[in-house]
Amino acid sequence: MNKRIAIFDLGSNAFKLLIAEKADIPEGFKIIHKEQSGVKLASKGITKKIITEDARLRALEAIASFKVTAENYKCRTIKCTGTSAFRDAQNGQLLVNEIKERFHLDVEIISGQREAELIHKGVQKAYKLEKTPVLIMDIGGGSLEIIIANKKELFFQKSYDLGMRRVMEKLKLTDPLTEEDKERIIKFFDEEFKELDKTVKKYEPEVLLGTSGSFETISNLVEAQKGRPLKKIDTAAYKLSRTRIKELHDHLVFMPEIERREVKGMDMIRVDLMSIAIVFVNHIIKKFNFEKVFFSAFALKEGLLTEALE
């Protein structure tokens, strides 16, 4: 049996587990198992810079389950990363210490810049970068990473404290969203992205490549619109229609959460954030006039896996 590695990606909204082993294929690894848990580590605490007691308990429960799974798959190595909620919370290190004491696992709290670097590495395993620059966007619960790169050069990478849960709590958004809420979201992002506006104008990326939960949910919802299940995306990027995204936007934006829960293809881990996410994604597509939009199934955890195997 090849040496198996487990990656615990401890995000602000979802905790993700990836188990893989080295393989002689273009990606360099074979995925054995993956799952996620809706821990919502940043819920009700992100603007106060704390991890609440309920979130702490959900985190410990998820890690306990992940560790059992990793042991069942006979993983020789377990690598754990904590992102936005861990690095911002005043008690983030206390949770890291508790995880070490209880489960004998070392959680590395990574910077936003390091997070963007790993996402870039992971994406390159799924999407073939060419000469034309691509804008890579990873929408998390606590942070939002943006990278502009082509196959030879990394032009720009930055982590913004603009994850969807952070925006929801910062702007005190209602459910369902109102027209006023929608305009506030757009205005907020436009104000925060003045630097990005100049960068996009300079490098002129033609493709938007989205990664992680919000974009994966959008992909599932778009496929459900077509009346078929989303194709399994383990080794390639998935092309999204901007027209379909606009239709999804118009359908979901002002829908209350209780109704969104019934929408085919909806991810219950992200159901409370999807109206905000689709407003943002649709606005970015229109603002920068992206003709091509893709979803990459590979992101931070695949970047970390690539490094571990190297």
Side-chain angles (χ1 to χ4, degrees):
M1 184 190 296
N2 285 340
K3 179 183 176 184
R4 288 183 175 173
I5 296 176
I7 304 294
F8 292 11
D9 174 6
L10 310 180
S12 302
N13 195 52
F15 280 16
K16 299 175 185 176
L17 167 64
L18 174 70
I19 295 173
E21 62 188 23
K22 196 167 187 177
D24 189 21
I25 56 177
E27 294 78 23
F29 54 79
K30 177 184 176 184
I31 294 174
I32 307 296
H33 175 83
K34 58 182 180 179
E35 64 177 276
Q36 62 178 349
S37 177
V39 169
K40 299 186 178 180
L41 191 67
S43 182
K44 299 179 181 177
I46 198 163
T47 56
K48 300 172 186 174
K49 296 187 181 296
I50 61 165
I51 295 168
T52 66
E53 179 62 13
D54 286 349
R56 182 186 74 86
L57 294 174
R58 291 193 298 269
L60 295 173
E61 183 179 357
I63 290 169
S65 175
F66 283 3
K67 190 178 182 192
V68 168
T69 302
E71 289 171 348
N72 287 342
Y73 277 98
K74 297 181 170 55
C75 295
R76 297 185 191 178
T77 303
I78 298 176
K79 287 192 168 290
C80 310
T81 60
T83 55
S84 180
F86 274 98
R87 61 180 174 254
D88 285 358
Q90 297 165 12
N91 56 345
Q93 188 59 49
L94 289 176
L95 180 54
V96 168
N97 296 343
E98 186 171 6
I99 292 167
K100 172 70 171 177
E101 184 179 337
R102 285 196 181 202
F103 306 110
H104 308 290
L105 295 172
D106 293 309
V107 177
E108 179 190 5
I109 301 178
I110 59 174
S111 67
Q113 191 73 2
R114 171 71 170 147
E115 192 171 349
E117 178 187 321
L118 288 169
I119 290 163
H120 182 225
K121 284 186 178 183
V123 163
Q124 289 181 85
K125 294 293 183 178
Y127 183 88
K128 188 178 180 182
L129 295 174
E130 301 290 354
K131 186 177 179 181
T132 304
V134 170
L135 190 148
I136 301 163
M137 180 180 290
D138 186 294
I139 304 175
S143 65
L144 191 158
E145 281 67 45
I146 291 182
I147 300 146
I148 298 177
N150 65 10
K151 67 178 179 180
K152 289 186 177 179
E153 195 171 352
L154 178 63
F155 302 109
F156 175 87
Q157 68 176 25
K158 186 169 180 178
S159 178
Y160 296 85
D161 285 335
L162 297 174
M164 297 300 103
R165 190 161 301 284
R166 193 184 296 272
V167 171
M168 180 175 74
E169 296 192 13
K170 185 179 182 69
L171 298 184
K172 296 181 171 59
L173 297 169
T174 62
D175 178 62
L177 293 181
T178 63
E179 185 66 45
E180 182 185 356
D181 288 332
K182 178 184 167 183
E183 294 307 315
R184 285 169 61 216
I185 293 167
I186 291 171
K187 183 181 178 182
F188 175 74
F189 279 110
D190 282 346
E191 288 174 352
E192 295 290 334
F193 280 158
K194 287 177 182 175
E195 174 196 21
L196 181 64
D197 293 348
K198 295 175 185 176
T199 307
V200 169
K201 188 175 181 179
K202 180 178 179 180
Y203 295 110
E204 299 182 331
E206 296 178 6
V207 174
L208 173 63
L209 182 60
T211 71
S212 295
S214 292
F215 268 97
E216 183 173 14
T217 304
I218 287 169
S219 300
N220 278 302
L221 291 166
V222 165
E223 279 296 291
Q225 281 182 323
K226 298 176 185 178
R228 61 176 185 256
L230 179 66
K231 300 167 191 171
K232 191 174 182 182
I233 310 171
D234 283 337
T235 58
Y238 170 76
K239 190 173 183 179
L240 286 160
S241 158
R242 54 180 284 169
T243 302
R244 290 278 188 179
I245 291 173
K246 174 63 166 60
E247 290 171 357
L248 189 64
H249 167 275
D250 295 346
H251 181 56
L252 282 184
V253 167
F254 303 119
M255 184 184 290
E257 181 180 332
I258 193 168
E259 292 180 21
R260 291 199 301 275
R261 288 178 172 273
E262 303 303 318
V263 175
K264 190 175 178 182
M266 182 62 71
D267 182 350
M268 292 303 108
I269 291 175
R270 297 174 179 84
V271 64
D272 56 335
L273 304 176
M274 280 314 298
S275 289
I276 306 166
I278 197 69
V279 166
F280 171 63
V281 170
N282 187 63
H283 177 60
I284 289 294
I285 290 170
K286 287 199 306 181
K287 182 175 184 176
F288 297 127
N289 195 30
F290 287 113
E291 290 297 331
K292 297 178 181 177
V293 184
F294 287 83
F295 160 65
S296 167
F298 294 173
L300 184 151
K301 56 189 184 300
E302 288 78 16
L304 193 61
L305 173 65
T306 299
E307 283 193 352
L309 290 172
E310 288 171 351

